[in-house]
């Protein structure tokens, strides 16, 4: 089974869902390593030597206390657990023992375990670090068991499922105290749930859930789903029900899980003696009891347990499934015996054919491709409507009770029923899907989240909704439809509209509330900027119009003077009279009063600029080798103050163009496509820089260009230092698989060297790197360990971030070889 983790908006990676995959994922998050490569690969040895500003070090960013607990480091003061045994928590020796881990300064001695005698020994040995993390996982697993925290496996806390691997990852981040506080256990309250970098434990629990840690808790349940013909059911969503009564947790919990392409559900780990059931399509499996230290397997066929290989078969006999209560249809049939169908005495009709149409309960509009269920003679069958909301050709006997239902949360919701009458033969039964009004309650740490903006994701739309003073949002939706609850741009929790539920409760963490507030502030700032930009443009247009009218008036006076002198109306190549107003003659070149600067971009790298003085719009036209013109688009210039350095304004103005309207173009063999990766707002280039960049893209013809950003809307560099005035920016190197993900120059199996080289050569043709070479990185190519792409320079190591250009090219140094026409 493959586990996909989204580390941030632009970085998603796949890992095997086993122990090795978990270790690889945690290491990538902690130190940017790549353990899919050799452990001694330069990327990994560099990560193994990493020590952050707080003293945490190595592939997994271990601190002093973790390596002390595992017996490698002896502490700053050499105080052992034996020394503090029985000591009061407030005693001086206990306080001194704890203080030795406060700074991660590594000034104490080492035990010599695995021949690690110094901090340097540890940093230089990534292989031993890999073995240490396996020890650490086992240690944390023991802590979970000894403190009964595994009772929470399968529970949803603050909207996040707690799993074995997620809990281990959370403890690695902030320790057992932070995990206990997150779970709400009183004795752990007050423990920190956020690490030194501001990362909340909930992020790690969610990010690293559903890995099979193999040797951690030795009890596992592996379940495969098949249909009645033993075919694997891939991507099948089911409800996993767990019931356990323990020290901290009692009662039932439910989580939704999905099978992989082989029909296998994620590994199930619960506290021993937990009762487990699977619910799908309204059917419930028999119980499976989690054994203490055994690996159990089961195959669910048509969602009844059909086989029990391994220990489950010998040690757990399934109990008979209890008889379900009578359905509403059965009750109706018992209360009102079927009457004789009202048909003509000459008719022998017993079965008829009819249609069912599902429409919206409020508007009456058909619902296309709607899934619904018909219960007939006690059997339920799934149907799908066509584009007009109609399921045609349903066949049933006259006089029978027909029940219409839609999906619920693990059950079916009845929305309509009718007796089949002969008059319905070849007719359409219109069924109204009820609109359900209900409330959404939002809480954080047991408190209502008031006056906060969230998002409802419904029928392909994202709808902003604000909680009232009581933390409530009131909504109306169609019964049975799935909707999502989250913050702007992110669907956090899927749910289903249930007509029997008046209030849906959602629990959020502090991060979600903070994100919502930040989005609101950013939206408000954008509105202010847009308003200011609108006022500025209006003023600019007004001034331009006044200037133009003044020039026209001067031309009228001049023309009148010439007319008086020659006693006749005159006409020349430049002017003609029309009601006393001059009109500029039309030529190939734009008139000086035009508000558009045109960049004519040629395939050989030459650029001609027409009407340079215009400040309204920029237009870009590319000419291929056959002389064909390709109009790439037109966009308004954005005027900003020039910067001389980050945070320091210079003299004059700059004119910037937004890259986003130009992210793709295709006409025959000429074209390109860009993925805009930057989320920092650095979308803006200078006009000439845009022309040289688009020209290179058109000549390359690639559809997997990854754009990482130039400058902010005001020409500032944002989080960078050199990306000012729209003259410098970043793009990623190209991958062989053409995926929109970054590739390290050291990953020869993924780096598309030939296409990347061609792209850089074409950028050079369009004068990039002419006044100052572009920034790249040294890497090993065909045995040359110091290879650098042509036209590029290897940057020195940055003290904070290491070598910065190993996964992207920094474009700068554009030559000013433009011809003004």
């Amino acid at each position: 089974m493959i586990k996909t983790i989204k580390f941030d908006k632009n970085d998603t990676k796949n890992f095997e869902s086993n122990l090795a995959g978990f270790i690889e994922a945690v290491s990538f998050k902690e130190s940017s390593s790549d353990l899919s490569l050799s452990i001694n690969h330069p990327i990994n040895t560099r990560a193994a030597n990493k020590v952050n500003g707080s003293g945490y070090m190595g592939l997994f960013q271990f601190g002093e206390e973790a390596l002390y607990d595992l017996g490698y480091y002896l502490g700053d003061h050499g105080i052992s657990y034996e020394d503090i045994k029985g000591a009061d928590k407030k005693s001086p020796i206990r306080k001194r023992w704890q203080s030795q881990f406060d700074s991660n300064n590594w000034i104490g001695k080492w035990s010599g375990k695995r021949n690690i005698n110094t901090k340097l020994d540890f940093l230089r040995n990534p292989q031993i670090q890999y073995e240490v993390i396996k020890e650490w996982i086992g240690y944390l697993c023991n802590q979970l068991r000894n403190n009964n925290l595994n009772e929470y496996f399968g529970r949803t806390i603050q909207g996040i499922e707690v799993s074995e691997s997620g809990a281990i990852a959370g403890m690695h981040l902030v320790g057992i105290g932070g995990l206990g506080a997150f779970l709400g256990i009183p004795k752990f309250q007050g423990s920190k749930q956020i690490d030194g970098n501001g990362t909340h434990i909930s992020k790690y629990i969610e990010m690293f859930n559903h890995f099979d840690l193999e040797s951690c808790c030795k009890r596992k349940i592996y379940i495969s789903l098949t249909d009645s013909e033993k075919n694997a059911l891939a991507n099948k969503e089911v409800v996993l029900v767990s019931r356990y009564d323990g020290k901290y947790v009692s009662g039932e919990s439910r989580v939704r899980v999905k099978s992989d392409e082989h029909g296998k559900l994620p590994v199930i780990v619960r506290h021993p003696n937990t009762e487990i059931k699977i619910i799908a399509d309204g059917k419930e499996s028999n119980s499976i009891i989690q054994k203490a230290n055994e690996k159990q397997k089961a195959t669910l066929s048509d969602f009844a347990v059909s086989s029990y290989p391994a220990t489950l078969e010998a040690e757990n006999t399934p109990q008979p499934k209890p008889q379900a209560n009578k359905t509403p249809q059965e009750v109706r049939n018992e209360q009102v015996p079927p009457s004789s169908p009202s048909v003509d005495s000459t008719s022998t009709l017993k079965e008829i054919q009819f249609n069912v149409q599902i429409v919206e309960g409020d508007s009456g509009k058909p619902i296309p491709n709607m899934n619904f269920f018909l219960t007939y003679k006690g059997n339920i069958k799934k149907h799908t409507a066509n584009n007009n909301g109609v399921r045609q050709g349903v066949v049933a006997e006259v006089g029978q009770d027909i029940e219409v239902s839609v999906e619920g949360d693990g059950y079916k919701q009845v929305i309509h029923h009718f007796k089949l009458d002969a008059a319905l033969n070849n007719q359409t039964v219109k069924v109204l899907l009820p609109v359900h009004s209900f409330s959404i309650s939002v809480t954080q740490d047991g408190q209502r989240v008031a006056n906060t903006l969230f998002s409802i994701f419904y029928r392909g739309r994202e709808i902003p909704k604000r909680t009232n003073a009581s933390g409530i949002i009131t909504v109306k939706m169609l019964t049975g439809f799935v909707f999502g609850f989250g913050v702007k741009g992110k669907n956090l929790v899927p749910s289903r509209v249930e007509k029997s539920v008046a209030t849906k409760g959602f629990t959020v963490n502090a991060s979600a509330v903070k994100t919502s507030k930040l989005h609101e502030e950013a939206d408000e700032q954008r509105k202010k900027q847009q308003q200011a930009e609108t006022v500025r443009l209006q003023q600019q247009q007004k001034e331009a119009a006044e200037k133009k009218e003044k020039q026209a008036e001067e031309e009228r006076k001049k023309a009148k003077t010439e007319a008086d002198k020659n006693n006749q109306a005159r006409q020349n190549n430049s002017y003609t009279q029309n009601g006393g107003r001059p009109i500029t003659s039309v030529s190939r070149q734009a008139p000086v009063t035009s508000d558009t600067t045109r960049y004519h971009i040629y395939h050989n790298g030459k650029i001609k600029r027409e009407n340079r003085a215009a400040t309204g719009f920029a237009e870009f036209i590319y000419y291929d080798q056959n002389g064909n013109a390709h109009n790439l688009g037109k966009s308004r210039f954005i005027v900003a103050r020039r910067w001389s350095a980050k945070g320091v304004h210079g003299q004059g103005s700059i004119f910037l163009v937004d890259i986003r309207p130009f992210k793709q173009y295709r006409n025959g063999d000429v074209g390109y496509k860009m993925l805009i990766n930057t989320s920092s707002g650095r979308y803006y280039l200078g006009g000439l820089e845009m022309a040289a960049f688009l020209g290179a893209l058109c000549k390359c013809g690639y559809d997997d260009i990854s754009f990482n950003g130039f400058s902010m809307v005001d020409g500032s560099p944002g989080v960078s230092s050199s990306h000012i005035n729209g003259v410098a920016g970043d793009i990623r190197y190209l991958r062989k698989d053409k995926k929109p993900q970054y590739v390290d120059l050291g990953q020869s199996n993924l780096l598309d060297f030939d296409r990347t080289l061609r792209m850089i050569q074409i950028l050079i043709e369009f004068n990039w790197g002419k006044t100052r070479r572009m920034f790249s990185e040294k890497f090993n190519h065909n045995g040359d360990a110091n290879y650098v792409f042509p036209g590029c320079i290897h940057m020195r190591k940055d003290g904070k971030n290491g070598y910065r250009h190993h996964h992207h090219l920094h474009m700068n140094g554009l030559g000013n070889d433009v011809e003004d026409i």
Side-chain angles (χ1 to χ4, degrees), residues 324-336:
N325 294 329
K326 292 179 180 179
T327 67
Q329 187 181 68
E330 290 171 332
V331 173
R332 287 194 299 271
N333 288 338
E334 289 179 358
Q335 292 174 344
V336 183

Side-chain angles (χ1 to χ4, degrees), residues 776-787:
S776 182
E777 209 66 72
K778 292 179 181 178
F779 65 102
N780 193 325
H781 175 62
N782 289 340
D784 182 358
N786 294 313
Y787 181 86

Side-chain angles (χ1 to χ4, degrees), residues 741-757:
Q741 301 169 4
Y742 80 78
V743 59
D744 194 289
L745 289 175
Q747 295 175 294
S748 58
N749 59 323
L750 292 176
L751 174 68
D752 194 327
F753 174 83
D754 293 334
R755 289 197 307 132
T756 301
L757 176 62

Side-chain angles (χ1 to χ4, degrees), residues 454-474:
F454 293 98
S455 288
I456 305 298
F457 298 84
Y458 176 62
R459 303 190 76 176
R461 294 180 297 143
E462 180 178 353
I463 307 165
K465 289 281 187 179
R466 184 180 298 278
T467 56
N468 63 16
S470 301
I472 298 294
I473 297 171
T474 302

Side-chain angles (χ1 to χ4, degrees), residues 554-784:
E554 291 175 354
E555 294 294 343
R556 285 197 294 270
K557 289 180 181 179
K558 181 179 178 181
K560 187 175 186 304
T561 300
E562 291 295 324
D564 290 343
K565 284 183 180 180
N566 297 289
N567 199 23
Q568 62 179 7
R570 302 190 60 186
Q571 184 173 348
N572 55 33
N573 292 335
S574 297
Y575 302 97
T576 181
Q577 293 294 325
N578 181 6
R581 296 180 65 85
I583 299 176
T584 306
S585 63
V586 178
S587 70
R588 184 177 180 276
Q589 179 166 335
V592 293
T593 56
S594 169
D595 63 351
T596 300
T597 297
R598 292 184 181 86
Y599 294 90
H600 301 277
I601 312 162
Y602 296 88
H603 72 281
N604 61 0
K606 187 173 183 61
I607 298 175
K608 296 183 180 181
R609 180 170 52 195
E610 179 184 357
N611 201 21
R612 175 183 182 179
T615 59
F617 295 86
E619 187 173 24
F620 302 91
I621 304 168
Y622 177 76
Y623 300 89
D624 62 29
Q625 60 184 1
N626 298 319
N628 299 316
H630 302 265
N631 194 316
L632 306 181
K634 179 178 177 180
S635 183
R636 182 178 295 279
F637 272 128
I638 298 169
V639 184
R641 290 180 63 186
R642 184 176 298 280
W643 299 81
S644 59
K646 181 173 182 175
V648 181
H649 276 298
Q651 299 296 319
S653 299
I654 54 175
F655 296 84
L656 303 175
V657 183
D658 190 337
I659 189 74
R660 288 173 290 184
F662 300 89
K663 63 182 178 182
Q664 66 181 42
Y665 173 84
R666 176 64 62 188
N667 185 356
D669 295 333
V670 176
Y672 61 88
K673 185 176 181 180
M674 279 186 287
L675 174 69
I676 309 296
N677 286 312
T678 180
S679 59
S680 61
R682 295 190 292 122
Y683 304 118
Y684 302 91
L685 290 75
L688 184 57
E689 284 75 17
M690 176 74 88
F693 185 42
L694 294 181
L697 295 189
C698 285
K699 186 164 184 177
C700 284
Y702 298 149
D703 286 337
D704 57 331
I705 301 295
S706 288
F707 176 90
N708 283 16
F710 268 63
S711 297
M712 305 293 286
V713 68
D714 61 353
S716 65
V719 297
S720 176
S721 58
S722 59
H723 292 241
I724 60 172
N725 301 326
V727 300
D730 298 332
I731 59 174
R732 291 178 177 172
Y733 304 118
L734 301 175
R735 294 169 59 103
K736 292 178 181 177
D737 56 14
K738 300 185 179 180
K739 289 184 178 179
Q741 301 169 4
Y742 80 78
V743 59
D744 194 289
L745 289 175
Q747 295 175 294
S748 58
N749 59 323
L750 292 176
L751 174 68
D752 194 327
F753 174 83
D754 293 334
R755 289 197 307 132
T756 301
L757 176 62
R758 179 172 179 265
M759 177 180 71
I760 292 174
Q761 290 173 331
I762 291 175
L763 286 170
I764 294 172
E765 284 183 40
F766 281 84
N767 284 314
W768 287 101
K770 187 170 184 179
T771 63
R772 184 185 184 190
R773 284 190 287 175
M774 295 181 283
F775 302 160
S776 182
E777 209 66 72
K778 292 179 181 178
F779 65 102
N780 193 325
H781 175 62
N782 289 340
D784 182 358

Side-chain angles (χ1 to χ4, degrees), residues 362-375:
D362 51 355
S363 68
K365 294 179 181 179
I367 305 176
N369 308 312
M370 175 77 184
N371 290 327
F372 62 96
F373 302 87
L374 294 181
T375 304

Side-chain angles (χ1 to χ4, degrees), residues 460-529:
R461 294 180 297 143
E462 180 178 353
I463 307 165
K465 289 281 187 179
R466 184 180 298 278
T467 56
N468 63 16
S470 301
I472 298 294
I473 297 171
T474 302
V475 293
K476 290 183 178 180
M477 300 183 198
L478 292 169
T479 300
F481 270 53
V482 173
F483 70 96
F485 172 82
V487 294
K488 184 176 181 180
K490 186 174 183 181
N491 188 344
L492 298 175
V493 185
S495 189
R496 191 178 293 275
V497 180
E498 300 173 88
K499 63 179 183 178
S500 61
V501 177
T503 302
K504 286 266 187 179
F506 293 95
T507 302
V508 298
N509 57 24
S511 176
V513 176
K514 181 180 179 181
T515 299
S516 175
K517 299 294 185 186
L518 291 175
H519 279 308
E520 280 200 79
E521 292 172 4
D523 287 342
E524 187 63 30
Q525 185 64 29
R526 276 194 294 271
K527 287 179 183 178
K528 290 181 180 179
Q529 290 177 347

